[in-house]
Amino acid sequence: MNLFQSNYVNVNDVNLHYVTKGEGELMLFLHGFPYFWYNWHHQLEEFSKDYRVVAVDMRGYNLSDKPEDVSAYKMPILMEDVRQLIEAFGEKTCTLVAHDWGGAIAWAFAYTYPEYVKRLIMFDAPHPYTFRRELSENPAQRQASSYMEKFQQPDSHDYFLANDCEKLKQLLIAPGLEKGYLSNEDAEKYMKAWQQPKALKSMLHYYRAAGFYPFEESVKKPLNLPHTMFESPTLILWGNADSAFENSNLDGIEEYVRDVTIHRFDGVGHAPQHEKPKEVNRLIREFLTKTS
């Protein structure tokens, strides 16, 4: 891990922390909640062999700037972060790898700026069109997403900071330690990231800015994406035991993604890149080879 270069880049009026390693085509990694760049360390080690890998702390997370206004976390601003990141590294296109909230941003980005995305690799982030459908039609998805009501409350960060981040430890660390895919050292890194000043408040601004709940209102809002079909090769790696997203989110995705490969991990939860890193890396490698 000491071989990663840690630095900052100023984009879109914020300083974003990132780590990087390797040379070649840009491979940009976007994490979700409640992670930070370290979420990708298994993939960074593997693909830095032949790519320039960059994993960023999204705005509001860990060592990156944490704007105070909820409006600073609206989707057009988050997409502009990504666009300027790619250009800041001297590139016009990249392989974009994303998970959870990072995946939500990556989907929107791909349909807004498709020319920047040579390949798309997605982990447990529902497609915006199918997720809208599932929230509208599937009671099980509305129940699975009901946590968003709590997350978008103005004081929800106090709830997660209480008792030394006990709720977040139950959400992410305890299952990882129990199953063996997280170490005590990993747990300490996450705790340190969560307890950065103002971090949890900013992390939850993503939910507040999106305002998903109540779902009856959010599904009526127009998506405002310029395209309905994404043309570049896309790999979706999906944990079938993800408690946040129904597997039906994958149904009909071919209507919106021209060239899509889907791999489902049975018995795996929300973060396959944590639980099955060797298999994930093998599948990504096969995908990259096939689409190079």
Side-chain angles (χ1 to χ4, degrees), residues 12-226:
N12 205 17
D13 298 322
V14 292
N15 291 308
L16 299 183
H17 173 256
Y18 69 92
V19 299
T20 186
K21 186 179 179 182
E23 298 178 354
E25 293 182 20
L26 177 62
M27 199 169 183
L28 179 61
F29 292 78
L30 308 178
H31 66 80
F33 179 92
Y35 304 89
F36 67 112
W37 75 261
Y38 186 72
N39 177 50
W40 300 110
H41 68 98
H42 294 293
Q43 288 69 49
L44 299 177
E45 287 285 4
E46 171 62 24
F47 296 104
S48 64
K49 297 172 183 176
D50 39 18
Y51 287 84
R52 183 186 186 186
V53 297
V54 173
V56 64
D57 285 332
M58 306 291 284
R59 66 164 59 205
Y61 282 81
N62 193 34
L63 301 181
S64 289
D65 281 355
K66 302 166 181 65
E68 293 188 10
D69 291 342
V70 172
S71 62
Y73 298 84
K74 289 188 176 294
M75 186 59 76
I77 293 175
L78 301 174
M79 287 192 293
E80 184 63 13
D81 285 355
V82 177
R83 192 187 71 80
Q84 291 190 25
L85 271 170
I86 294 169
E87 294 189 349
F89 290 106
E91 300 293 342
K92 296 180 179 179
T93 186
C94 72
T95 295
L96 190 57
V97 188
H99 173 232
D100 185 73
W101 254 109
I105 298 164
W107 277 127
F109 184 82
Y111 284 86
T112 306
Y113 303 106
E115 66 275 15
Y116 283 83
V117 186
K118 182 177 181 179
R119 305 179 194 87
L120 187 59
I121 302 174
M122 303 294 287
F123 289 82
D124 287 71
H127 191 283
Y129 290 113
T130 63
F131 189 49
R132 175 73 61 94
R133 179 197 69 210
E134 293 300 301
L135 282 177
S136 178
E137 302 176 3
N138 188 346
Q141 183 58 64
R142 289 196 293 275
Q143 177 60 35
S145 296
S146 61
Y147 67 90
M148 293 182 185
E149 178 184 15
K150 177 68 176 179
F151 280 29
Q152 70 188 46
Q153 295 303 311
D155 60 350
S156 56
H157 50 283
D158 292 330
Y159 170 81
F160 285 109
L161 281 168
N163 299 318
D164 200 30
C165 297
E166 180 60 29
K167 295 297 181 181
L168 282 179
K169 286 190 285 188
Q170 292 176 11
L171 178 69
L172 189 148
I173 291 175
L177 293 176
E178 181 180 350
K179 292 185 177 181
Y181 61 82
L182 289 182
S183 67
N184 288 322
E185 182 182 358
D186 295 333
E188 290 175 5
K189 291 180 186 296
Y190 280 105
M191 288 291 295
K192 186 176 180 180
W194 296 336
Q195 293 175 333
Q196 291 292 324
K198 300 182 180 180
L200 264 169
K201 184 176 183 179
S202 300
M203 290 158 61
L204 288 158
H205 276 347
Y206 284 71
Y207 293 92
R208 298 174 184 127
F212 283 114
Y213 192 90
F215 302 128
E216 293 82 3
E217 296 179 11
S218 64
V219 297
K220 294 178 182 177
K221 298 177 184 176
L223 280 174
N224 293 325
L225 295 177

Side-chain angles (χ1 to χ4, degrees), residues 236-253:
I236 297 175
L237 300 170
W238 187 273
N240 271 352
D242 190 336
S243 60
F245 301 121
E246 291 291 297
N247 295 325
S248 53
N249 278 285
L250 297 178
D251 295 346
I253 202 166

